[in-house]
């Protein structure tokens, strides 16, 4: 138990230190279009957004099964979440383009089908930023967030697996897809 607690504390500290940039508060990190961020910070935010999107999608899917009212509530949640995720996604991409030394307007290259997305992924995710101060700000420093990316990915996958297992075992669906009761063969 002590070892598990130590591992959880270590991973929590790594994720918090990756997100806590002394030169950029979290509000500016997620919602501002100025400044620079390192690759590791970009990846941890991108993976967080991906996992949040998956969870919100599962939540909306569950809510939408509750009839017309559920569909309306799901639609409102979807629109609000979509607006927030687009804003944060654009903000972190602009900061990464700034770190590489390009204008934030380069974010529009991602709107070119397939090739634009690949170019953005390569540049934003794998190209190291300018080593010194550029016209967009100071060097964000070494990418101290790489261990946090691993921890976040591990715990995100664990959360998804638990969601799938427990939602299938606990939800009682009237159409008989999952009864919530194990049969003699261990199947649902």
């Amino acid at each position: 138990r002590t070892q598990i607690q130590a591992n959880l504390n270590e991973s929590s500290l790594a994720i918090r230190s990756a997100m806590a940039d002394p030169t950029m508060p979290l509000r500016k990190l997620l919602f501002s279009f100025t400044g620079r961020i390192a690759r590791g910070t970009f990846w941890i935010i991108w993976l967080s957004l991906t996992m949040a999107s998956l969870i919100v999608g599962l939540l909306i899917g569950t809510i939408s099964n509750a009839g017309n009212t559920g569909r309306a509530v799901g639609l409102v949640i979807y629109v609000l979440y979509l607006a927030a995720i687009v804003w944060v996604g654009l903000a972190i991409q602009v900061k990464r383009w700034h770190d590489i030394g390009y204008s934030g307007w380069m974010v529009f290259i991602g709107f070119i089908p397939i090739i634009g997305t690949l170019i953005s992924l390569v540049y934003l995710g794998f190209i190291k930023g300018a080593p010194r101060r550029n016209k967009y700000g100071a060097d964000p420093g070494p990418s101290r967030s790489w261990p946090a990316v691993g921890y976040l990915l591990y715990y995100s996958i664990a959360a998804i697996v638990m969601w799938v297992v427990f939602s299938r075992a606990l939800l009682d669906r009237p159409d008989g897809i999952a009864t919530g009761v194990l049969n003699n063969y261990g199947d649902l």
Side-chain angles (χ1 to χ4, degrees), residues 7 29-30 33 37 41 46 50 59 62 69 83 93 96 101 111 114 135 137 149 152 154 166 173 179:
N7 288 343
L29 180 67
L30 297 178
F33 289 86
I37 60 171
T41 305
W46 198 258
T50 303
L59 176 70
T62 303
T69 305
Q93 289 180 61
R96 271 302 293 148
F111 290 108
I114 301 170
K135 66 182 178 178
V149 172
L152 181 69
Y154 172 77
F166 289 121
R173 303 214 24 191
T179 62

Side-chain angles (χ1 to χ4, degrees), residues 84-184:
I85 201 92
V86 166
W87 186 273
V88 172
L90 289 173
I92 65 168
Q93 289 180 61
V94 166
K95 286 185 194 71
R96 271 302 293 148
W97 283 114
H98 287 172
D99 188 44
I100 299 168
Y102 291 103
S103 166
W105 291 104
M106 288 294 290
V107 77
F108 287 112
I109 200 168
F111 290 108
I112 300 171
I114 301 170
I115 192 74
T117 305
L118 291 174
I119 290 170
S120 291
L121 178 68
V122 168
Y123 271 84
L124 301 178
F126 300 105
I127 303 294
K128 187 175 179 172
R132 293 182 205 92
R133 180 175 191 83
N134 66 17
K135 66 182 178 178
Y136 302 106
D139 182 11
S143 186
R144 65 179 185 265
S145 54
W146 283 109
V149 172
Y151 286 123
L152 181 69
L153 190 59
Y154 172 77
Y155 288 116
S156 299
I157 291 170
I160 290 168
V161 167
M162 288 190 316
W163 175 287
V164 168
V165 168
F166 289 121
S167 69
R168 182 147 190 245
L170 297 176
L171 289 178
D172 183 19
R173 303 214 24 191
D175 56 356
I177 293 174
T179 62
V181 179
L182 295 174
N183 64 20
N184 291 336

